[in-house]
Amino acid sequence: MEGSLAKESGFREILPENTMRTLVPQVEVPREVKPAPPRYRNEIAKYIIRRGSNCTLCGKCVQVCPYGVHVLKTGYKLFAAPHLNVCVGPSCRKTDHYCIDICPKKALKMVENPMLKAMGDYRWTPDMIMATWKMAETGESPSPEYGYEYETGASGGGFDRLRFKFPEKPPIELREDEIDIGIVLNRRDDGRPQVKIDVPWYGGGMSFGSVSNVVQLSKARAAVAFNTFTCTGEGGYMERMKPYDDHVITQIATGLFGVREETIQRVRIVEFKYAQGAKPGLGGHLLADKVTHAVAKMRETVLGISLFSPFPFHSVYSIEDHQKHMDWIKHVNRRTLISTKVSTPNDVDMVAVGSYSAGTHIVHLDGGYGGTGAAPDIAKKNIAMPIEYGIVKVHRFLEQEGIRDKVTLIVSGGLRTPHDIAKAIALGADGVVVGTSELVALGCIRCSRCESGRGCPRGIATTDAELAQGVDLEWGTQRIINLYSAWRKELIALLKRFGMRSINELRGRTDLLMHLDYTNDVETDT
Amino acid sequence: MPKKYHIETKKVAPRLPKIGKFGIVDWHEDCARCHNCVKKACVYDRYRQEMEYIKDLDEFNAMFFECMGCFSCVQKCTKGLLALTVNPEYERMGNGYFTPDIILTTWNQAETAGIPVSGAGYRGKFTGTGFDSMWTDMSEIVRPTRDGIHGREYISTSVDIGRKPKLLSFEDNRLATALPPLVDLPAPIIIDIFPEKYQFSHLMPMLLAVAVKTGTMMIVGWEQNGLLGADKEKHLSNIIFYLGKDTPLPTPEILKKSRLIEIADNNKTEQRIKEIKAVNPELVVAVRVELDSHGKERSIELARNPIIEVIHIVSDMNGNQIGAEKPEFIKDMTRHIHTSLVKSGIRDEVTIIASGGIALAEHMAKEIICGADVIAINMPLLLALECRFCANCRDGFACPAKIENITAQYGIGRMTNLIAAWHDQLIEVMGAMGIREARRLRGETGRALFFDDIEEEIFGRLFGKRIRV
């Protein structure tokens, strides 16, 4: 970590004397890429190699494969299960080590893994999931030879139909260390601390209850490593989160579960969640099975009873009410910034301007196609607009109102890759919030069963003690650090191609985008 | 405060093994007998359930049950012997409109009456055709004073069917306008006639029982009134008899006890209405108009006739215009009719019932936003009975779901559950929209976003003309 921002901002020194907050030594986490191999024995691969019965165990395939796909252990008369996840597939054909052609008995056959059909969905294709796993494992984007088409999904619209128009060569040659992808979160000049994060994203709110505490802590530790933030979601502030206070956003949502003055005083950013994109207008859901003893205690509720956060805040019916809310928090914590999280209805531009005028530092738009927790299917698909529209709408209106540079526009709701992040910024956002990608890095396969029974069978979105053991804290931290690192490199490479020194130069540059479904012949202002 | 409308529901288990989306292919022959079998650790206990089922197997059926597709066993098996695949039987279900996903969610709702809930965000296409080309809207500014289905405040789904006067006149502080008859329903949903090839006579009494239990109504051909069972006379307020072009009028006794009747549109529509009204002027008459190439304009023409009270517009079962080479979709046709009537200043005078292509609860809400007062459904109720939409019955072959064997308890329970689940989902989206009355949802396109409009507004300005439709 490049210095403690907490110290830079003098955060601790000017806390009110009557603070209820207990100071806890803050933990440093190195921003270091280390291999974090998959935690399952059989990693899912894009291609599988079938070995015929005419194999003579000559071992030629073992000798030629530079990736170590084939495994024939000394003294064994049979091949062990191949390491298919490192196989690069048909792209290997052009090389001199293509096992399929080299096998003297032609006993090997390569096919695309039929299981991929059962994996992923239109938004998160199997390629995108596997590429995210690779990034989380290695800290690098997967080599093109793997053939993963992971920059876009298959949803047929929005980010998936947008492409960058790169110049043939960069207008200026920049070294990577000259490129800054950090963003500032306080543009109000209101005497509150300036907070700059080193990457243009932070982690989305996932409460303890919706995910395990190991997952929350892994996110928090990765946030420390990249000098960014993670969010507690609506469910209280775990004791174990306190060593990461300086990188935690705590959320005040309509249920006020776990909200205390002490927790508000802990953090540098407090987020008001008015709505969330996956279920706008409906409030949060935590179904009974996931309300374990620990969750109930933290939320001060009853074991095994479903928790429904109401919608809306029953104390907020106007921008003036919203301002009073913010005043309350600003009074309780005189150093904190305020983020206002709203969904993307048709009037989202008005909401954003109203929220700015009420005093928010960050307007956080959460579009309809994201979300990690339980939501009614009818809400996920059908209420409010996708984030791609919301970004442009709000960015335009903030510009028209002359306040674009006084507020930080953060967006979320279906951003999956660094390419989505860059597109969102080019459409007009300052930065983004990510959530699902972090979970995919931890092994989520998007089976959508986060809400039922004991929760996530992959041990991520669960409070079940046994299932949660599937994710180790060190491993989880490293996987997210690796993912972030790969993303950071991708974004820097993208800015380098445009000859941009800062990601802020990309904001609103829709002239650098094209849409595959349009004539793209409009002259746009930059 | 009036009593809150509530449908009593009870879990009704399926009769047949569910055709799940996923299935595990198990290569037993290479098993190492390591005794670490990951199947034991299935979070959902599916393998044990499957073995229990196989013990009492009374018919040949697939091994695919309720695998949740989490890949955990596939990835943990010590020898990598397991593979996960999409169940081909699942993929074969339905048609291009009633997709396997729609069928499966309908089964689940019919079983539990619950609102479908899942995690991990939306998984589908950015947009699509038909109802998938619009979103409902909510508001952060116009604060709905409600808490959805779990809340304390009442969202009314009541609707009225009939003609409403344009204005009321008073004389000597007394109402001087003669009020036309109205039929009130607790929810904007009725049961439609089933397409001819999907009609099962033994379902008729069950459908009537569902209509009674949910407080709604069912449309049934007058020729089939004998199939409704002995209780028919007691429940005439839940029955809408449909009269084809040449169907004789029901007996005056039936007409006098009925609330609503439906007639086929033809060149003698007005005369037919007069004949019915002559027997019972309080009986509301709906005119069923097929949405073929003339359907929209015919509906608008009918609405201008002061004798017409209710127009029931009907597309094909997939929501398409009937007999058209490039068919319009029901939502667009409804919107056209609704908008035309609004422009003519007569929209509130007639009621529009719409049917065809309404396969999910979201379609109900969207169709109402597009201008229908009430929707009528049939095929989703058949799906509730574990129909797979295989069309065997249509072609005269045996039904794999054995619809002919269902009991009344099962049939009534499942169909009631489905309607209850749809009602709850309607409340959910209305709550999000901040709309407290289904009557006010009708035609409320201000609470909707249409893909073509918003694409043009946002991306059209940035990228030019859209070339892919």
Side-chain angles (χ1 to χ4, degrees):
Chain A
M1 185 177 149
E2 295 163 9
S4 165
L5 283 169
K7 286 173 193 161
E8 284 170 22
S9 65
F11 173 54
R12 292 168 194 284
E13 287 71 18
I14 56 172
L15 275 170
E17 285 181 7
N18 62 345
T19 181
M20 299 161 72
R21 174 180 183 270
T22 51
L23 294 176
V24 172
Q26 296 293 285
V27 166
E28 302 246 341
V29 180
R31 188 187 296 177
E32 185 183 349
V33 171
K34 285 190 280 190
R39 62 187 159 106
Y40 288 100
R41 178 184 286 266
N42 310 310
E43 192 64 355
I44 297 167
K46 184 163 184 175
Y47 300 99
I48 56 174
I49 297 173
R50 293 196 175 121
R51 183 176 295 277
S53 57
N54 54 337
C55 168
T56 59
L57 302 174
C58 71
K60 187 79 178 167
C61 52
V62 181
Q63 290 167 21
V64 299
C65 179
Y67 309 104
V69 172
H70 304 281
V71 184
L72 182 59
K73 293 178 183 167
T74 310
Y76 282 75
K77 291 182 179 174
L78 288 171
F79 276 86
H83 297 154
L84 294 170
N85 60 315
V86 294
C87 174
V88 298
S91 66
C92 194
R93 185 176 285 133
K94 300 171 198 155
T95 68
D96 59 356
H97 48 257
Y98 186 51
C99 60
I100 309 298
D101 287 347
I102 286 171
C103 174
K105 293 291 180 186
K106 301 296 176 209
L108 301 176
K109 188 180 174 188
M110 180 185 288
V111 292
E112 188 158 316
N113 190 345
M115 281 199 292
L116 300 187
K117 194 177 169 190
M119 180 173 150
D121 49 67
Y122 290 112
R123 296 200 61 80
W124 275 88
T125 59
D127 277 15
M128 194 182 276
I129 294 173
M130 289 187 291
T132 305
W133 286 345
K134 275 270 184 264
M135 288 188 244
E137 180 182 349
T138 64
E140 301 284 342
S141 293
S143 157
E145 60 188 359
Y146 281 102
Y148 293 140
E149 292 175 16
Y150 67 94
E151 294 186 9
T152 52
S155 75
F159 294 132
D160 289 345
R161 301 296 289 173
L162 291 171
R163 300 288 186 275
F164 277 105
K165 296 187 283 191
F166 290 107
E168 281 184 19
K169 65 175 197 174
I172 51 169
E173 289 293 337
L174 294 169
R175 293 191 319 274
E176 287 174 5
D177 61 1
E178 292 178 299
I179 298 171
D180 178 14
I181 62 166
I183 58 170
V184 297
L185 299 179
N186 180 7
R187 295 161 192 258
R188 291 192 76 94
D189 194 21
D190 63 350
R192 289 190 174 246
Q194 180 53 271
V195 175
K196 185 181 178 194
I197 52 178
D198 290 354
V199 288
W201 69 80
Y202 56 79
M206 293 179 214
S207 63
F208 173 54
S210 70
V211 293
S212 73
N213 58 15
V214 174
V215 171
Q216 272 200 331
L217 291 171
S218 298
K219 280 160 50 77
R221 290 168 61 81
V224 172
F226 278 81
N227 183 31
T228 183
F229 284 85
T230 188
C231 178
T232 59
E234 181 191 23
Y237 204 103
M238 282 193 308
E239 191 68 26
R240 290 173 68 187
M241 290 287 266
K242 290 178 179 173
Y244 314 102
D245 280 343
D246 290 349
H247 298 274
V248 171
I249 299 170
T250 196
Q251 194 176 74
I252 299 174
T254 53
L256 299 177
F257 292 122
V259 174
R260 295 175 189 173
E261 291 196 354
E262 191 268 343
T263 61
I264 290 166
Q265 289 172 345
R266 304 207 75 81
V267 295
R268 293 194 290 161
I269 303 177
V270 174
E271 176 176 286
F272 277 105
K273 185 183 81 176
Y274 281 82
Q276 55 195 115
K279 43 195 167 186
L282 297 179
H285 296 180
L286 188 69
L287 301 187
D289 289 335
K290 292 177 86 171
V291 184
T292 59
H293 180 73
V295 172
K297 188 177 174 192
M298 187 171 296
R299 296 188 178 212
E300 297 175 88
T301 61
V302 179
L303 174 72
I305 299 292
S306 293
L307 300 177
F308 295 90
S309 302
F311 178 87
F313 278 109
H314 289 312
S315 49
V316 180
Y317 286 83
S318 66
I319 290 298
E320 291 73 23
D321 292 340
H322 175 39
Q323 183 170 355
K324 282 179 191 164
H325 251 194
M326 281 196 247
D327 288 348
W328 160 47
I329 296 305
K330 287 178 177 176
H331 181 74
V332 172
N333 181 345
R334 286 191 272 148
R335 300 295 304 157
T336 194
L337 306 185
I338 305 284
S339 169
T340 303
K341 180 178 177 181
V342 295
S343 54
T344 49
N346 215 356
D347 54 14
V348 62
D349 43 1
M350 305 286 288
V351 172
V353 170
S355 190
Y356 164 76
S357 66
T360 199
H361 300 89
I362 299 167
V363 171
H364 174 180
L365 310 180
D366 193 23
Y369 288 169
T372 53
D377 289 351
I378 195 168
K380 285 201 287 195
K381 177 186 167 200
N382 295 304
I383 306 177
M385 66 176 77
I387 191 64
E388 290 91 331
Y389 300 141
I391 298 169
V392 178
K393 210 171 164 69
V394 170
H395 174 68
R396 270 182 197 159
F397 198 54
L398 291 172
E399 280 193 327
Q400 286 165 16
E401 294 292 305
I403 53 173
R404 181 63 191 90
D405 289 326
K406 295 179 181 173
V407 66
T408 300
L409 179 60
I410 296 289
V411 301
S412 61
L415 291 112
R416 305 150 293 182
T417 63
H419 314 91
D420 284 353
I421 295 173
K423 289 170 191 172
I425 292 170
L427 287 174
D430 289 296
V432 310
V433 163
V434 294
T436 301
S437 308
E438 294 170 328
L439 303 189
V440 172
L442 298 178
C444 166
I445 203 155
R446 288 185 56 75
C447 64
S448 293
R449 311 294 172 184
C450 325
E451 83 300 345
S452 56
R454 296 160 67 193
C456 169
R458 317 276 294 188
I460 301 165
T462 183
T463 47
D464 182 278
E466 185 187 348
L467 291 176
Q469 284 176 5
V471 181
D472 170 77
L473 180 59
E474 289 301 319
W475 178 86
T477 305
Q478 194 60 54
R479 293 279 287 194
I480 298 176
I481 286 175
N482 288 356
L483 179 76
Y484 281 6
S485 185
W487 281 13
R488 184 175 177 276
K489 288 172 196 163
E490 283 274 359
L491 284 175
I492 288 175
L494 186 141
L495 293 181
K496 191 175 176 183
R497 291 178 72 181
F498 283 122
M500 292 179 178
R501 290 179 191 277
S502 163
I503 194 121
N504 297 316
E505 294 175 45
L506 184 63
R507 191 188 77 189
R509 291 294 303 274
T510 51
D511 60 309
L512 301 179
L513 288 169
M514 63 175 290
H515 196 300
L516 298 183
D517 300 342
Y518 286 79
T519 52
N520 295 296
D521 54 2
V522 173
E523 292 292 325
T524 49
D525 300 328
T526 59
Chain B
M1 190 169 171
K3 191 184 169 197
K4 202 168 182 177
Y5 174 60
H6 176 69
I7 301 172
E8 288 293 333
T9 60
K10 194 176 170 186
K11 186 172 177 180
V12 183
R15 295 167 296 131
L16 305 165
K18 263 185 204 162
I19 300 173
K21 183 169 184 178
F22 301 107
I24 294 291
V25 180
D26 188 346
W27 307 103
H28 287 290
E29 66 268 22
D30 206 19
C31 173
R33 307 287 190 268
C34 67
H35 298 286
N36 294 325
C37 193
V38 291
K39 294 176 177 182
K40 289 179 191 167
C42 173
V43 171
Y44 304 107
D45 210 15
R46 293 296 179 238
Y47 288 100
R48 193 189 56 73
Q49 291 168 8
E50 189 176 291
M51 287 179 68
E52 291 295 318
Y53 171 73
I54 292 167
K55 274 185 200 165
D56 300 320
L57 196 66
D58 61 358
E59 61 178 291
F60 176 80
N61 210 310
M63 297 281 281
F64 303 112
F65 283 80
E66 293 184 38
C67 169
M68 298 295 194
C70 74
F71 280 82
S72 297
C73 61
V74 171
Q75 291 195 260
K76 287 178 183 170
C77 172
T78 49
K79 286 203 73 182
L81 299 180
L82 303 177
L84 185 70
T85 185
V86 176
N87 181 355
E89 198 177 349
Y90 176 82
E91 290 187 293
R92 276 200 299 273
M93 291 198 299
N95 63 12
Y97 191 79
F98 285 87
T99 61
D101 287 351
I102 289 179
I103 294 173
L104 191 59
T105 188
T106 305
W107 288 351
N108 290 336
Q109 290 170 64
E111 179 179 346
T112 64
I115 292 177
V117 174
S118 60
Y122 174 58
R123 302 164 64 86
K125 291 261 190 186
F126 185 83
T127 185
T129 57
F131 288 118
D132 287 343
S133 64
M134 66 182 284
W135 298 271
T136 66
D137 196 22
M138 49 81 70
S139 179
E140 300 279 6
I141 293 177
V142 182
R143 284 295 180 191
T145 54
R146 41 58 63 189
D147 292 340
I149 60 169
H150 313 286
R152 58 185 185 223
E153 297 198 20
Y154 188 55
I155 293 176
S156 168
T157 54
S158 296
V159 286
D160 301 314
I161 302 178
R163 194 168 182 89
K164 288 132 200 156
K166 198 166 189 174
L167 48 87
L168 300 175
S169 56
F170 295 86
E171 286 173 12
D172 298 331
N173 286 332
R174 287 189 180 177
L175 183 64
T177 307
L179 294 180
L182 280 181
V183 173
D184 63 315
L185 288 180
I189 182 169
I190 59 175
I191 301 169
D192 199 8
I193 299 175
F194 282 73
E196 194 179 341
K197 303 248 174 156
Y198 294 95
Q199 289 182 359
F200 297 89
S201 55
H202 69 295
L203 291 188
M204 293 297 177
M206 294 183 211
L207 289 165
L208 177 55
V210 172
V212 171
K213 204 168 169 192
T214 57
T216 186
M217 303 181 83
M218 73 173 287
I219 307 175
V220 58
W222 169 242
E223 297 92 338
Q224 295 177 306
N225 79 84
L227 300 173
L228 290 174
D231 287 346
K232 171 186 69 181
E233 301 265 333
K234 273 198 273 178
H235 301 303
L236 283 173
S237 62
N238 297 97
I239 300 172
I240 306 167
F241 285 120
Y242 169 71
L243 310 180
K245 185 183 169 191
D246 301 316
T247 310
L249 286 187
T251 60
E253 192 184 10
I254 294 287
L255 288 179
K256 282 178 183 166
K257 288 182 182 169
S258 297
R259 292 197 296 164
L260 180 57
I261 197 164
E262 184 165 296
I263 62 171
D265 179 41
N266 58 69
N267 53 8
K268 293 181 183 167
T269 298
E270 195 170 334
Q271 183 188 332
R272 198 91 199 251
I273 294 172
K274 285 176 181 165
E275 286 170 16
I276 293 167
K277 290 283 186 182
V279 180
N280 179 6
E282 292 300 306
L283 180 57
V284 178
V285 183
V287 182
R288 189 179 184 95
V289 180
E290 290 204 340
L291 287 172
D292 54 19
S293 56
H294 307 293
K296 285 188 299 181
E297 299 318 313
R298 175 61 179 159
S299 301
I300 294 165
E301 181 191 338
L302 282 170
R304 294 200 169 111
N305 185 341
I307 199 171
I308 303 295
E309 300 168 299
V310 182
I311 301 166
H312 181 177
I313 53 175
V314 183
S315 69
D316 73 12
M317 71 168 76
N318 299 330
N320 291 324
Q321 195 173 17
I322 297 167
E325 198 172 315
K326 288 185 179 172
E328 280 189 82
F329 191 69
I330 180 86
K331 91 174 201 306
D332 303 311
M333 294 186 280
T334 308
R335 217 176 153 196
H336 175 85
I337 295 166
H338 170 80
T339 310
S340 299
L341 300 185
V342 169
K343 283 180 184 164
S344 304
I346 55 171
R347 177 61 189 91
D348 284 333
E349 293 175 41
V350 287
T351 302
I352 294 177
I353 302 172
S355 58
I358 295 158
L360 292 166
E362 68 188 63
H363 299 170
M364 168 167 62
K366 289 177 176 177
E367 179 62 13
I368 293 171
I369 287 172
C370 287
D373 294 278
V374 178
I375 58 108
I377 59 165
N378 44 37
M379 300 314 287
L381 294 171
L382 204 54
L383 295 180
L385 306 176
E386 294 175 83
C387 164
R388 295 117 193 252
F389 222 100
C390 64
N392 276 12
C393 55
R394 187 191 65 193
D395 301 330
F397 296 111
C399 171
K402 300 189 172 106
I403 300 282
E404 68 276 9
N405 291 345
I406 64 168
T407 63
Q409 188 182 16
Y410 165 90
I412 296 165
R414 299 270 300 191
M415 292 189 281
T416 302
N417 283 354
L418 183 68
I419 291 176
W422 280 30
H423 177 255
D424 280 349
Q425 288 171 85
L426 177 64
I427 289 179
E428 283 281 57
V429 285
M430 284 174 62
M433 284 185 272
I435 290 181
R436 296 173 65 181
E437 283 190 70
R439 295 182 186 96
R440 294 184 60 191
L441 184 65
R442 188 207 68 198
E444 182 53 282
T445 49
R447 280 280 172 273
L449 300 156
F450 292 91
F451 171 73
D452 288 337
D453 299 342
I454 196 160
E455 270 279 310
E456 175 59 30
E457 179 194 335
I458 303 293
F459 287 160
R461 285 169 61 181
L462 296 177
F463 303 118
K465 192 174 173 216
R466 187 170 165 81
I467 51 178
R468 174 174 168 260
V469 179

